[in-house]
Amino acid sequence: MIHVACLWGGRVVVSFSPEQFAVFEGRARNRWCASAARDLFRAYRMHYVAHGASADNLLCVVQATVGWAERHGIDGGADLMRLSHVAAALGHRFWQDPRLRSRVSAAMATGRPADRRAGAMIRETKAWLRALWLDDDLCGFADRLANGMDGGEGPRTSTLLRVLPGHRRVLSAAENDQLFDWLDRVTPAPFRDGGPRHLAYMACALVHGPQWPSDPQYPRLAAAVASGAEPARLAADIRRIYLEADG
């Protein structure tokens, strides 16, 4: 339906159909998401370049985050940007990560005003990351993972917790066992070899979220693990990626 223009009291009155308003809103939303994706890329440029991601890659991450946030009544630009940073830290579709379910539910609680929810999610994210990475960093994680792969290790519980020891702080022993069993079942076929490649998938899932192979933020890492390279070569590639990300 096209808009209608008419004269009323000497003024031109223009009316728009709901469909036209939806188009305008969609265009404005897309422009905002594209700008936010560029801002996110600039904020973590070294990290994204190392992982082979561009601002264009990040657009769908921002769009998915905005769509999820709006379903929780969050529509302010600053709050949507904060949640895009959460997606950068925890992985795209972080709200589907079973480890974070209680934290997301607490932040998005219906009793909390919508304009306070993004701030609450930021606090939950910071608490999670502090516990996970206390006295540790991504380069240390990459070295331990590569050493395990060089040794031909698979995704045993003891190996995974040695590669990322902070995971003992964020989940109990029983919760970790349950999580690792689930991750083993959902490991994509290209990574399911019972050995180093399988270890790499599950260890990276603990850092970047279970859906990391399809996360647009990590195309280079996903390609390396799926490449079919020998474990020693793959271990070296993983070390290199994280070293470049750290600068």
Side-chain angles (χ1 to χ4, degrees):
M1 182 183 299
I2 63 173
H3 72 273
V4 177
C6 62
L7 288 176
W8 184 262
R11 293 175 299 170
V12 175
V13 178
V14 181
S15 64
F16 298 95
S17 71
E19 292 81 5
Q20 286 173 313
F21 273 116
V23 170
F24 297 150
E25 290 173 354
R27 289 174 179 170
R29 186 177 186 270
N30 289 338
R31 286 195 297 271
W32 186 91
C33 288
S35 176
R38 292 191 294 270
D39 289 344
L40 200 63
F41 180 80
R42 284 192 290 267
Y44 309 111
R45 181 182 180 86
M46 190 174 296
H47 171 84
Y48 284 130
V49 169
H51 283 282
S54 67
D56 289 341
N57 290 108
L58 303 184
L59 176 58
C60 56
V61 175
V62 173
Q63 289 172 327
T65 302
V66 168
W68 170 78
E70 289 177 341
R71 292 194 294 274
H72 289 277
I74 303 169
D75 56 12
D79 283 344
L80 294 173
M81 194 69 235
R82 290 187 186 101
L83 292 173
S84 296
H85 282 269
V86 172
L90 301 181
H92 80 147
R93 303 185 185 277
F94 61 87
W95 53 92
Q96 296 177 355
D97 188 331
R99 301 171 300 169
L100 303 172
R101 189 172 294 122
S102 63
R103 292 180 179 272
V104 172
S105 295
M108 300 294 123
T110 54
R112 188 187 302 278
D115 61 357
R116 303 283 182 86
R117 291 173 184 168
M121 193 66 238
I122 287 287
R123 291 191 293 275
E124 293 288 352
T125 299
K126 288 180 177 178
W128 172 268
L129 294 175
R130 279 195 298 267
L132 186 64
W133 293 106
L134 181 66
D135 298 324
D136 196 8
D137 58 32
L138 281 169
C139 284
F141 160 79
D143 279 340
R144 293 187 298 271
L145 174 57
N147 288 338
M149 295 174 67
D150 282 335
E153 295 186 60
R156 294 183 302 172
T157 295
S158 58
T159 304
L160 288 164
L161 292 177
R162 187 181 73 246
V163 170
L164 190 58
H167 218 268
R168 295 181 189 272
R169 288 189 291 269
V170 296
L171 294 183
S172 68
E175 288 170 332
N176 272 312
D177 286 341
Q178 184 178 22
L179 174 70
F180 297 161
D181 285 344
W182 176 75
L183 281 174
D184 182 65
R185 292 195 301 272
V186 302
T187 300
F191 311 123
R192 185 185 292 279
D193 65 357
R197 199 173 313 280
H198 203 160
L199 171 62
Y201 163 75
M202 291 181 62
C204 290
L206 302 183
V207 174
H208 304 303
Q211 300 186 61
W212 72 266
S214 61
D215 190 331
Q217 299 176 105
Y218 302 106
R220 185 180 174 197
L221 183 64
V225 179
S227 67
E230 292 299 315
R233 169 67 181 277
L234 177 55
D237 287 344
I238 288 175
R239 273 197 180 99
R240 186 178 305 111
I241 289 170
Y242 283 101
L243 183 62
E244 290 175 12
D246 187 59

